[in-house]
Amino acid sequence: METYSLRTLNASNDFVTILRETDEGYVIRIVRDKDGYDEVTNEFMTKELFDTCIRTGYLKKVQRVEENLVATA
């Protein structure tokens, strides 16, 4: 599973994880930090929208480093 940081206006630690890929797009899990608790939702995102989010910097791929999620360039 690949994980991406989600650019937000309030600099919170929000992440998107790809759960499954289909021909049309991705089933994703969005985890948002809401004042100390996690709001978790599962959604579908088309491949076109996902590629646009990567290209514009709205999503950035992260890698695990010693159990911490760190954004990569």
Side-chain angles (χ1 to χ4, degrees):
M1 290 189 290
E2 295 179 335
T3 301
Y4 297 82
S5 64
L6 182 64
R7 184 173 62 194
T8 61
L9 295 176
N10 60 358
S12 62
N13 289 321
D14 299 346
F15 296 95
V16 172
T17 302
I18 297 175
L19 300 176
R20 185 169 31 98
E21 183 176 354
T22 69
D23 290 339
E24 294 82 27
Y26 304 96
V27 177
I28 61 172
R29 173 168 290 145
I30 303 168
V31 179
R32 293 183 178 269
D33 181 8
K34 297 284 187 174
D35 297 326
Y37 73 92
D38 288 341
E39 176 185 86
V40 180
T41 57
N42 292 333
E43 301 287 337
F44 178 81
M45 180 182 279
T46 65
K47 287 184 178 182
E48 182 180 0
L49 178 57
F50 185 83
D51 291 343
T52 299
C53 289
I54 294 293
R55 191 172 52 254
T56 60
Y58 188 70
L59 292 174
K60 289 189 181 181
K61 190 170 185 176
V62 297
Q63 64 185 46
R64 285 196 182 271
V65 177
E66 298 177 7
E67 296 187 16
N68 293 322
L69 292 176
V70 178
T72 59

